[in-house]
Amino acid sequence: MNRVFVIGSINVDILMLSDHLPEPGETIKAGSFYVYPGGKGANQAISSARMGANTTLIGKIGNDYFGSLIKDFIGKENLNSIIMYGQKTGMAFINVDKNGKNMISVFSGANNDLREEDLKDIKIDNSIIMLQQEIPMDTIEYVIKTYGRNNLIITDPSPINEINDFVLSGSDYITPNEVEASKLSGMHINSREDAFKASEILYKKYQTNIIIKLGSYGSLLNNGNEIRYFKPSTVNARDTTGAGDCFNGAFAAMLTKTSDVNKSIEIANMAAALSVTEYGAFPSFPYLNDVKTKFN
Ligand code: ATP
């Protein structure tokens, strides 16, 4: 498997940093302002491409100003794309206060228009396919039914709105964070031991590899034979936005280079740790060389 395909969401994120968050009816002055591509699909694709995998992002944007911004950003990455047009480009408005508390409104826009018909002529074989939950569930189901047999599917159950057992059981890896693993397993995760137990419940339920992302505690893999814990890399954490996407992209990228799953998770842990040392989602995602230089 030497290619990665990400079928998922593409947004423009507009981020404003201010002292406090606005109350209804209040206008406040923002200290700084950033515009960058987001959406879990675009984030994971950028992470995979930066970690050196031949990566293709498949998704929909609007034929509008924000859509052209996305094309500009993506054009600067070493990333292939099959980008189609739908209604307006998906957008996220993010306000963050000086304590890191945030308020986010998301408009799905064109991401909601990515349908089965759009994928009909796209052939994907012997590759890794990455899915998240920001495109229509019917489309995600279609991907599993159509491509599941000849490809390895990594599904991020995030954001966890509708839970779909068919999608989760049909995936080769599912990669919840602690909150998603708690919801899917029905048990609250408060410790590493809880996470181990939750992974056992999830393995039983979905009969597939479970990777739980444990934030500053690292991650774990339950492959049905053993549960292995991967300790985090020690870094000076500044902003964890997008760490999970960075992890998934790096994990998929490493699987195109080695069949050693444990090694791939170790490196994904390192890449994700580096991503939390800088602000923003994709601007903080490392390149494979950064990871090699920092941790070798
Ligand atoms: P997001 O929703 O912001 O994309 P997430 O909640 O899905 O993130 P996390 O579990 O927070 O994902 O983090 C993903 C991975 O990033 C972790 O499994 C770990 O490898 C790494 N990581 C996150 N925070 C830290 C930290 N403080 N120190 C070291 N590594 C970290």
Side-chain angles (χ1 to χ4, degrees):
M1 302 212 188
N2 54 10
R3 293 189 69 180
V4 174
F5 288 83
V6 182
I7 303 175
S9 56
I10 309 171
N11 289 334
V12 168
D13 288 352
I14 294 192
L15 170 68
M16 298 234 184
L17 302 178
S18 50
D19 230 39
H20 67 276
L21 298 175
E23 301 286 332
E26 187 187 8
T27 300
I28 57 165
K29 280 193 174 170
S32 43
F33 159 75
Y34 302 91
V35 180
Y36 49 77
K40 298 187 87 57
N43 282 347
Q44 296 190 6
I46 290 173
S47 169
S48 166
R50 288 190 177 182
M51 290 296 285
N54 180 334
T55 307
T56 303
L57 170 63
I58 301 173
K60 274 201 175 172
I61 56 176
N63 190 0
D64 50 26
Y65 171 70
F66 292 107
S68 55
L69 268 186
I70 298 227
K71 289 206 145 178
D72 286 350
F73 274 117
I74 284 178
K76 293 187 185 120
E77 302 290 327
N78 191 8
L79 178 63
N80 312 308
S81 58
I82 302 176
I83 299 214
M84 295 160 273
Y85 289 116
Q87 51 167 307
K88 290 177 188 166
T89 298
M91 304 285 300
F93 285 98
I94 308 168
N95 286 285
V96 181
D97 74 7
K98 61 177 185 233
N99 301 316
K101 210 150 86 182
N102 62 31
M103 230 167 64
I104 305 177
S105 320
V106 178
F107 169 69
S108 299
N111 295 304
N112 268 346
D113 297 340
L114 185 67
R115 298 277 168 199
E116 173 176 335
E117 305 81 77
D118 300 309
L119 304 175
K120 281 257 148 65
D121 295 330
I122 302 177
K123 299 261 169 294
I124 308 179
D125 275 316
N126 199 26
S127 297
I128 295 171
I129 298 181
M130 304 180 73
L131 294 168
Q132 317 77 29
Q133 313 300 306
E134 292 182 331
I135 57 172
M137 189 50 80
D138 293 353
T139 310
I140 295 174
E141 287 174 8
Y142 173 80
V143 170
I144 304 267
K145 279 186 209 142
T146 312
Y147 303 114
R149 197 164 307 154
N150 299 326
N151 298 281
L152 184 125
I153 310 254
I154 302 175
T155 295
D156 195 343
S158 174
I160 192 153
N161 307 320
E162 293 170 63
I163 298 172
N164 188 318
D165 287 356
F166 169 77
V167 168
L168 297 174
S169 305
S171 301
D172 298 286
Y173 286 89
I174 58 177
T175 61
N177 65 12
E178 256 172 46
V179 174
E180 291 142 9
S182 296
K183 281 215 169 141
L184 290 172
S185 65
M187 69 167 276
H188 195 69
I189 300 178
N190 258 331
S191 62
R192 206 200 299 176
E193 288 65 38
D194 289 348
F196 274 52
K197 277 190 208 137
S199 79
E200 282 176 331
I201 296 173
L202 296 182
Y203 187 88
K204 237 191 209 151
K205 208 163 156 189
Y206 302 117
Q207 294 290 309
T208 193
N209 296 294
I210 310 292
I211 293 177
I212 304 186
K213 293 173 277 188
L214 298 168
S216 59
Y217 294 96
S219 52
L220 69 78
L221 166 70
N222 185 335
N223 62 13
N225 294 322
E226 61 165 350
I227 305 176
R228 187 181 277 247
Y229 171 67
F230 299 86
K231 61 178 177 17
S233 305
T234 311
V235 290
N236 186 9
R238 272 210 190 104
D239 176 13
T240 64
T241 313
D245 292 335
C246 178
F247 179 100
N248 277 46
F251 174 59
M254 294 322 297
L255 287 183
T256 65
K257 297 170 194 290
T258 169
S259 53
D260 186 338
V261 174
N262 295 328
K263 181 93 197 143
S264 300
I265 296 177
E266 274 166 27
I267 294 177
N269 251 359
M270 292 174 193
L274 280 185
S275 83
V276 309
T277 62
E278 301 292 342
Y279 288 103
F282 100 95
S284 70
F285 292 175
Y287 292 83
L288 183 57
N289 260 343
D290 301 329
V291 176
K292 284 185 178 158
T293 315
K294 288 267 158 54
F295 295 106
N296 270 344

